[in-house]
Amino acid sequence: RFVIPGLFALGIWLLLPPLFFYLLRPHIAAALTFLCATMFLPEAVSLDLPVLPSMGKEEIASLACMLCCVGFAPRAITRARPLRGPEVLVLVLCVATFVSIANNQEAIRHGPVVVPGVEMTSILGAVISDLMSWAFPFFIGRALFTRSEELRDLFVVLILAGLVYSLLILFEIRMSPQLHRWTYGYHQHSFAQTLREGGAYRPMVFMRHGLHVALFTVMYMSAAWILTQTRYVMPFVSFVPKIVIAGYLSVILVLCRSTGALLYGLVIAPLIYFAGGRLQTIVAVGLAVLALSYPAIRVAQIIPMTELIELSEEQFGKKRAHSFAGRLRTEEQLTTKIQERPIFGWGSSGRAMIRDPITGENTTTFDGVWLILFVRSGLVGFVCVFGLLLAPVFQAFRRWGELRSKQDRAMVAGLSLMVAIRVFDLLPNSTTEGYLTLLSGALSGVVPGILREQASRDAQKRVEAAAPGSAPAVGRPGRGEAPRRDQANPSLGKGLLGSPGPRKPRR
């Protein structure tokens, strides 16, 4: 059977981002660059270059997209004024990384095992890794998504990607998770973790784990429910009612058999469909505050963990309760270790591992990004990354009432929920894909962008009203307003392959 070598796939894929940016509008090209890498490129393979960090599919997508933005959309990049937004926190993170590595030069002995100090030469690789993981995707989102049409396009691209991926998910649910092995010659993760109760399978497709597929499903399902609250036409599949698409993608989420993602879906879908936008932003802020305060809650032992484990066993069975309890025990052990170096951390996750004092064997495994950040860069690293991702949620909550268009309010409120759920998922999991960070950046850029357009239209109306003998302007929908129900989608009609077509005036 013919298989594609992983490094060859990474190399060939590098031809796609320039092609996307040449053919498509920059914001659509950027979204496709991150999504295609996450959806189809191989896992557990990377380019290992001297000094630089390992370049897996997410890092390559981030770097390629940033270079293409500079080459194909320089005006958008300069207009966004780099480092004038929340991404300045990444600079603080880079300084924290330097201090953390400098403070962890000594070796640590655990019985016969000696854990060496962190080499100063690793600083450059660590800083570049932070830029590619957090700064580039966030800034690209903030720079390219500044209008309501562009935010709508982001939802549309997510939904279309979800419709394509749903077919692969259904295939693996029926045939077992084999697509990655058939395409690239190996399983990207332990096959045993795809087996669920009753002999069912949890799909992985081309992602790292079934949990990543499930969170991706939550995102495109949420985008579909958000569009049901607007009058925008869904391109390419306009003959299918939007509510049917949202319902179909919700069924796919259930079939992914991920308890955490299913709980996210049960929260976000009813909120989007039944609740108002203000309530959605309040819930998003509540989740953001909980995510930011979670380390303090764990250190103070405020949450009754024993009762939670018992409730988990009662509702989801002993197997999942045992897994949940193991995660909590690891968090308790590592939070004790973190308190020895709380500000800048241990420099690397390996130095803070709990090891057997006699054999030196590692006895800890953990996935939560919050814990990884705290171990590596301490409180400063945690605040920088989570502050970067959640700052747009607080901004959207504060300025949501200034948005005039019902369509804009629905989309901004829904995206706030999506971003808050994504960051909340970083507490138990390590879902760090670039397209997720792009969502935070898009929320950061679109809210002030829409408000600037509103202010510009107001100023133009005042000028026209002040001009003597000026005729009233022909009624045309503003950029932040929605088209009529019978009007074609203006941005994606021709927008996928060029600039949006002319808008028809309202009669």
Side-chain angles (χ1 to χ4, degrees):
R1 186 179 71 252
F2 175 76
V3 297
I4 303 174
L7 291 177
F8 177 79
L10 293 179
I12 290 296
W13 181 85
L14 287 174
L15 301 176
L16 284 182
L19 185 63
F20 286 156
F21 276 84
Y22 179 76
L23 293 176
L24 308 175
R25 300 170 65 197
H27 64 284
I28 299 176
L32 285 176
T33 297
F34 283 106
L35 283 171
C36 288
T38 301
M39 291 167 61
F40 299 113
L41 288 183
E43 289 284 352
V45 62
S46 60
L47 297 172
D48 295 320
L49 303 174
V51 181
L52 299 178
S54 295
M55 302 281 288
K57 66 180 186 180
E58 298 297 338
E59 292 79 10
I60 289 176
S62 178
L63 182 59
C65 192
M66 190 69 221
L67 293 175
C68 287
C69 286
V70 172
F72 290 91
R75 292 179 60 187
I77 297 298
T78 55
R79 188 167 54 244
R81 303 170 72 184
L83 301 180
R84 299 295 181 90
E87 66 272 6
V88 71
L89 289 172
V90 179
L91 291 183
V92 182
L93 176 63
C94 294
V95 174
T97 299
F98 173 83
V99 175
S100 177
I101 292 176
N103 288 341
N104 285 277
Q105 297 294 296
E106 77 284 0
I108 301 175
R109 179 176 293 276
H110 299 274
V113 175
V114 176
V115 180
V118 185
E119 298 180 358
M120 292 296 292
T121 55
S122 65
I123 291 177
L124 179 60
V127 168
I128 294 175
S129 178
D130 289 334
L131 292 175
M132 291 188 296
S133 297
W134 309 113
F136 288 174
F138 184 93
F139 176 70
I140 290 168
R142 186 172 73 84
L144 299 185
F145 293 90
T146 58
R147 299 167 56 189
S148 58
E149 291 98 334
E150 293 164 352
L151 179 56
R152 185 267 322 279
D153 292 349
L154 176 61
F155 291 144
V156 168
V157 171
L158 263 176
I159 295 168
L160 294 177
L163 290 173
V164 171
Y165 225 56
S166 68
L167 302 179
L168 304 181
I169 290 172
L170 291 173
F171 177 85
E172 288 205 339
I173 289 173
R174 178 65 181 86
M175 303 300 294
S176 82
Q178 299 288 344
L179 287 174
H180 195 282
R181 185 178 70 85
W182 291 346
T183 305
Y184 298 113
Y186 61 95
H187 282 297
Q188 67 271 47
H189 203 277
S190 171
F191 186 80
Q193 292 199 17
T194 67
L195 300 175
R196 313 304 285 173
E197 292 82 357
Y201 295 106
R202 179 165 62 181
M204 292 193 295
V205 197
F206 296 103
M207 295 189 185
R208 191 187 318 170
H209 194 277
L211 295 173
H212 298 247
V213 175
L215 184 62
F216 179 44
T217 305
V218 171
M219 293 296 108
Y220 60 69
M221 179 210 72
S222 302
W225 283 111
I226 290 170
L227 280 196
T228 64
Q229 303 305 295
T230 70
R231 293 181 293 175
Y232 294 128
V233 178
M234 184 70 191
F236 304 117
V237 289
S238 57
F239 54 90
V240 181
K242 291 183 289 185
I243 190 70
V244 173
I245 296 175
Y248 164 72
L249 296 180
S250 300
V251 172
I252 296 298
L253 176 61
V254 175
L255 295 177
C256 284
R257 293 179 173 84
S258 176
T259 303
L262 183 58
L263 292 176
Y264 296 154
L266 291 176
V267 170
I268 197 170
L271 275 173
I272 291 173
Y273 195 72
F274 295 108
R278 173 54 71 185
L279 179 59
Q280 294 176 39
T281 59
I282 292 173
V283 173
V285 167
L287 289 172
V289 171
L290 180 59
L292 285 171
S293 59
Y294 184 76
I297 292 173
R298 292 295 288 120
V299 171
Q301 297 183 352
I302 296 175
I303 300 177
M305 294 301 175
T306 303
E307 289 78 1
L308 279 180
I309 294 172
E310 292 175 355
L311 179 63
S312 175
E313 181 176 350
E314 178 182 343
Q315 297 294 326
F316 306 112
K318 291 185 177 180
K319 183 177 180 180
R320 297 188 184 182
H322 178 74
S323 174
F324 180 56
R327 285 176 177 268
L328 296 180
R329 283 194 298 270
T330 300
E331 285 187 0
E332 289 179 359
Q333 293 173 339
L334 286 177
T335 49
T336 302
K337 193 78 172 179
I338 287 169
Q339 293 177 56
E340 299 178 16
R341 301 188 180 186
I343 305 301
F344 293 105
W346 289 86
S348 69
S349 57
R351 289 171 57 80
M353 293 292 190
I354 309 300
R355 297 176 181 269
D356 187 282
I358 299 176
T359 64
E361 182 181 357
N362 177 31
T363 60
T364 55
T365 56
F366 57 97
D367 293 325
V369 170
W370 82 269
L371 203 52
I372 295 173
L373 291 170
F374 242 105
V375 167
R376 198 195 74 172
S377 303
L379 177 64
V380 177
F382 169 81
V383 170
C384 287
V385 173
F386 273 60
L388 171 75
L389 299 176
L390 290 174
V393 174
F394 294 103
Q395 179 193 49
F397 171 77
R398 182 170 56 88
R399 308 197 70 179
W400 181 84
E402 301 176 37
L403 303 174
R404 298 174 189 167
S405 169
K406 182 180 178 181
Q407 321 301 315
D408 296 342
R409 288 188 172 196
M411 292 192 297
V412 168
L415 183 58
S416 297
L417 266 180
M418 292 171 64
V419 170
I421 288 288
R422 171 267 198 275
V423 178
F424 188 82
D425 190 67
L426 295 179
L427 299 179
N429 299 315
S430 56
T431 47
T432 57
E433 285 82 357
Y435 80 92
L436 294 168
T437 306
L438 183 79
L439 296 179
S440 293
L443 182 60
S444 179
V446 76
V447 173
I450 293 174
L451 294 177
R452 283 195 301 268
E453 287 192 335
Q454 289 181 179
S456 176
R457 288 197 300 271
D458 291 344
Q460 184 178 359
K461 289 179 181 178
R462 287 194 297 269
V463 170
E464 292 175 352
S470 59
V474 178
R476 293 178 58 188
R479 287 183 175 179
E481 300 177 7
R484 290 164 34 188
R485 289 182 184 274
D486 58 345
Q487 181 179 341
N489 195 322
S491 180
L492 279 181
K494 289 179 61 178
L496 275 176
L497 295 175
S499 59
R503 300 185 182 185
K504 298 179 180 179
R506 294 187 179 183
R507 298 187 181 276

